Amino acid sequence: MDIKEHIESKLKPILTSLGVEEPHVILERPKDNAHGDLSSNAAMMFAKKLKSNPKEFAQLVIDKMNLPDEFILKAEIAGAGFINFYVSENYYLSKLEEILKQASDFGKLDTNKGKTADLEWVSANPTGPLHTGHGRQIALGKAIANLLEWSGYKVTREYYYNNAGMQMEKLAKSVYARYRQLYEPDYPFPEDGYVGDYVMEVVRILDEEYGDKLVDSSDDIFKTAGENWCFKSIKHTLARMGISHEIFFNESSLYESGEIKKTLDAFKKAGLSYEKDGAVWLKTSELLKDKKDAVDKVIVKSTGEPTYRLPDMVYHIDKIKRGYDLIIDIFGADHGDTYKEVLAGLQGLGYDSSKIKVIIHQMVTFVQDGKPVKMSKRSDNVVYMDDLLDELGEDVTQFFYVMRSANTHLEFDISLAKEQSDKNPVFYLQYAHARICSILRNAKEVFPDFNDESTASYTLLSSPDELNMMKILSVFPDIVASSAATYEPHKVITYLNEVAENYHRFYHNNRVINKDAKEVSFARLKLCEAAKIVLKNGFDIIGISAPEKM
């Protein structure tokens, strides 16, 4: 049993007996080990409602717990009425066995077993390769999808795109102009055309296949060629990042199926839209009554072209109808307000938008040698993701993009990312894993009979460093649970740093391989194995590799 579940199973009946209706118990790890292993504010939460003194109420609770028991040594009152619990060594020894037994499954939860989740992210239109501005979203989505799976969800990874509209027309004209310039160097290039080198890549393919036969062709063949090249590039970059989407949803299908018109009619019938100046407006001010500055928004321009809000609403209706238990969108900061209008439109039509969670990530600033740098090496004024991956590698790129909370500005330090030492936060963690692998390899030379099936007397692990290591490793499932609940993979990184830091301290203060103390060595080696398992599992969630040699 998990220690939190154990404590909750004792606390809830006691709180109920003291007059608390349907008690909810929160248990957290104190920042200071001197304050125990877990702490509850239950006495302060419920004493006031029952017109009791928090400390007296806390003492009543402790008296009824009949401690010590199998896993809890004692409970003490601290501060204004916190109840601090001290967990026995027996519990942590049992968790060590559990880690070693479950191995790659340790930390995987049943919380959301049987539930489905749809995660839509990246969703760049096929008008060019992915660039570093897409990077944070790419990396966040990868890690969040992993987190959801570790919490029990069956996850569908989805990519939404539009291969129609003005941007695609611009791509077609850009490809055509460069193609014509092969034969007519003075042929004009569109003022707002795509100037990236990749356009010439598309042109070379066309020229190799058709020569000059396409000079008088329509835009369609150039648009298709551009789209195919761009999507191939996008999928290649995502594959380098270890990402494969199950669904690529084309916005144009919403028009072809008639769902756009059907939704427009539904808004009109519900009295939520009106015509003005030749355009169709949504009564956003009415749908967002709680938002003081909400104003009505155009959903169909006077030209007859829908604004992005309308297909976005229809697209989300489609996702709702698919029956997912959770629908997640990841957007950049420029979508901070507009997604609320989309959700309000769904609610106005009677759809339940409560299952839709929107994650907004802030911008990224690139820094080198302490100074901001503009990521613009190419002719189209951007650095592509492939360039960054070539320079830093997949692990470093993935890690640096997710190492901070999505809702904070991210400073991506290129100099630090290039550092080939444990000053680099990625390598610091990977070195810890590689070091353990090295120790385990050396152990088999000293102890030929030591292997994965070896048994050990874990009660020999009694030093403060050993006990602390077991305590930290045991909370990995809690970290997975809390990170998944808030969709925050950076919390896993914070935890892994704690694991690595304490492992290095344990290894420094305790001789792990001692041929004259085989039993102690075996016990400590098993603790090393457990640390390796937890680090590897954490890496799997973040989306980086676990090298055995560095």
Side-chain angles (χ1 to χ4, degrees):
M1 180 183 285
D2 177 79
I3 192 62
K4 284 188 174 181
E5 292 175 357
H6 178 67
I7 295 174
E8 285 178 18
S9 69
K10 295 178 75 76
L11 274 180
K12 285 184 176 180
I14 292 171
L15 291 169
T16 301
S17 72
L18 292 172
V20 179
E21 295 181 5
E22 299 182 2
H24 175 64
V25 176
I26 298 173
L27 292 163
E28 296 180 336
R29 292 168 66 201
K31 293 180 180 179
D32 187 343
N33 287 338
H35 296 156
D37 300 291
L38 288 166
S39 182
S40 173
N41 64 350
M44 293 182 291
M45 283 178 63
F46 302 122
K48 188 175 181 180
K49 293 180 182 178
L50 300 174
K51 298 179 181 180
S52 175
N53 177 283
K55 286 188 175 182
E56 293 176 0
F57 189 87
Q59 190 60 57
L60 277 174
V61 171
I62 292 173
D63 291 343
K64 287 177 172 286
M65 289 191 76
N66 297 320
L67 300 176
D69 66 13
E70 182 184 5
F71 292 141
I72 309 171
L73 291 174
K74 61 179 180 178
E76 292 180 347
I77 302 170
F82 285 99
I83 304 176
N84 293 338
F85 296 95
Y86 295 78
V87 180
S88 70
E89 292 180 18
N90 288 338
Y91 173 76
Y92 293 114
L93 293 174
S94 70
K95 292 301 286 187
L96 177 58
E97 289 185 12
E98 183 181 321
I99 295 169
L100 294 167
K101 183 178 180 181
Q102 293 186 3
S104 61
D105 288 331
F106 181 70
K108 290 182 178 177
L109 310 174
D110 291 334
T111 312
N112 298 303
K113 188 175 181 180
K115 294 182 181 179
T116 58
D118 179 89
L119 176 62
E120 183 243 316
W121 86 107
V122 187
S123 298
N125 289 336
T127 56
L130 296 172
H131 55 74
T132 52
H134 296 116
R136 192 173 197 185
Q137 183 169 148
I138 293 169
L140 274 171
K142 176 185 176 181
I144 290 170
N146 293 340
L147 258 180
L148 292 173
E149 287 180 333
W150 275 71
S151 75
Y153 278 107
K154 181 181 179 182
V155 178
T156 297
R157 292 162 173 81
E158 184 156 351
Y159 190 118
Y160 175 75
Y161 69 99
N162 181 14
N163 66 348
M166 296 302 295
Q167 297 303 312
M168 294 303 296
E169 292 300 323
K170 186 166 73 172
L171 176 65
K173 293 182 185 303
S174 301
V175 174
Y176 178 69
R178 292 299 188 214
Y179 173 79
R180 281 287 294 267
Q181 287 173 356
L182 292 177
Y183 303 99
E184 302 173 40
D186 294 331
Y187 187 84
F189 190 80
E191 285 186 16
D192 61 346
Y194 289 103
V195 297
D197 298 339
Y198 67 91
V199 176
M200 283 306 301
E201 295 289 331
V202 182
V203 169
R204 289 188 191 99
I205 293 170
L206 288 172
D207 188 51
E208 285 178 11
E209 186 171 352
Y210 298 102
D212 64 355
K213 296 177 182 178
L214 302 179
V215 170
D216 296 320
S217 297
S218 68
D219 285 348
D220 287 349
I221 190 168
F222 299 99
K223 175 186 163 186
T224 300
E227 178 188 343
N228 290 343
W229 188 94
C230 290
F231 247 134
K232 185 177 180 181
S233 169
I234 288 168
K235 290 178 181 179
H236 169 76
T237 303
L238 292 174
R240 288 187 68 178
M241 295 283 286
I243 297 168
S244 177
H245 291 83
E246 287 89 9
I247 294 177
F248 282 83
F249 193 104
N250 190 341
E251 179 184 324
S252 63
S253 67
L254 300 173
Y255 296 88
E256 294 163 3
S257 66
E259 291 301 318
I260 293 284
K261 184 180 184 304
K262 189 185 295 183
T263 303
L264 269 175
D265 292 342
F267 278 128
K268 185 176 181 179
K269 186 176 181 181
L272 294 173
S273 66
Y274 59 92
E275 292 186 19
K276 176 184 172 185
D277 301 326
V280 179
W281 296 69
L282 186 67
K283 295 182 180 179
T284 321
S285 58
E286 182 178 319
L287 292 167
L288 290 170
K289 292 177 181 177
D290 296 337
K291 196 170 181 288
K292 293 180 181 179
D293 58 347
V295 294
D296 293 349
K297 295 295 174 70
V298 174
I299 53 175
V300 180
K301 300 176 186 177
S302 57
T303 59
E305 180 188 358
T307 62
Y308 69 90
R309 291 178 185 84
L310 179 58
D312 270 12
M313 286 185 279
V314 181
Y315 172 49
H316 281 84
I317 290 170
D318 181 271
K319 286 199 277 192
I320 289 171
K321 287 180 177 178
R322 288 186 234 161
Y324 297 111
D325 296 292
L326 175 66
I327 297 169
I328 296 181
D329 298 329
I330 304 179
F331 296 134
D334 55 335
H335 286 71
D337 286 325
T338 52
Y339 81 86
K340 296 173 185 175
E341 298 165 2
V342 171
L343 296 183
L346 300 183
Q347 291 164 355
L349 292 179
Y351 291 98
D352 179 11
S353 65
S354 63
K355 293 179 181 179
I356 301 174
K357 307 298 178 186
V358 177
I359 298 169
I360 298 292
H361 67 82
Q362 298 304 311
M363 302 300 287
V364 179
T365 300
F366 290 88
V367 175
Q368 190 153 13
D369 300 321
K371 298 177 181 178
V373 292
K374 192 174 182 182
M375 298 296 283
S376 55
K377 296 179 183 176
R378 300 275 187 147
S379 59
D380 52 348
N381 209 36
V382 298
V383 171
Y384 299 140
M385 278 299 296
D386 281 342
D387 294 330
L388 194 66
L389 293 170
D390 290 342
E391 191 169 0
L392 302 179
E394 286 77 6
D395 283 349
V396 172
T397 302
Q398 172 69 21
F399 188 95
F400 269 66
Y401 271 123
V402 299
M403 65 191 293
R404 299 283 181 264
S405 172
N407 61 18
T408 61
H409 173 260
L410 175 64
E411 192 173 87
F412 195 121
D413 191 331
I414 298 291
S415 304
L416 183 60
K418 288 181 178 178
E419 184 76 44
Q420 298 286 317
S421 73
D422 61 5
K423 290 180 182 178
N424 185 324
V426 192
F427 292 154
Y428 174 73
L429 292 177
Q430 290 180 324
Y431 279 139
H433 183 271
R435 184 180 196 179
I436 296 172
C437 292
S438 176
I439 291 165
L440 294 173
R441 285 193 298 270
N442 293 338
K444 291 175 182 178
E445 293 179 9
V446 178
F447 303 113
D449 56 337
F450 179 77
N451 55 51
D452 294 341
E453 304 302 319
S454 297
T455 57
S457 178
Y458 301 128
T459 54
L460 296 172
L461 301 171
S462 57
S463 74
D465 292 322
E466 291 164 336
L467 290 172
N468 195 47
M469 195 70 231
M470 285 189 282
K471 288 181 182 182
I472 291 165
L473 296 177
S474 72
V475 301
F476 179 59
D478 283 345
I479 299 300
V480 175
S482 63
S483 302
T486 55
Y487 321 116
E488 294 180 298
H490 73 280
K491 290 180 178 179
V492 177
I493 292 177
T494 302
Y495 166 75
L496 293 176
N497 280 318
E498 187 180 0
V499 172
E501 180 183 338
N502 280 275
Y503 178 79
H504 291 312
R505 185 180 299 117
F506 150 73
Y507 183 75
H508 181 267
N509 294 336
N510 299 272
R511 187 176 177 184
V512 173
I513 301 176
N514 183 354
K515 64 181 180 180
D516 297 322
K518 182 177 178 179
E519 288 190 358
V520 173
S521 292
F522 271 38
R524 289 174 176 168
L525 285 166
K526 287 297 180 181
L527 184 54
C528 291
E529 275 190 13
K532 174 191 166 190
I533 288 167
V534 170
L535 285 170
K536 168 66 166 59
N537 292 355
F539 293 173
D540 286 348
I541 292 172
I542 294 303
I544 61 173
S545 65
E548 297 192 357
K549 292 181 180 180
M550 290 183 76

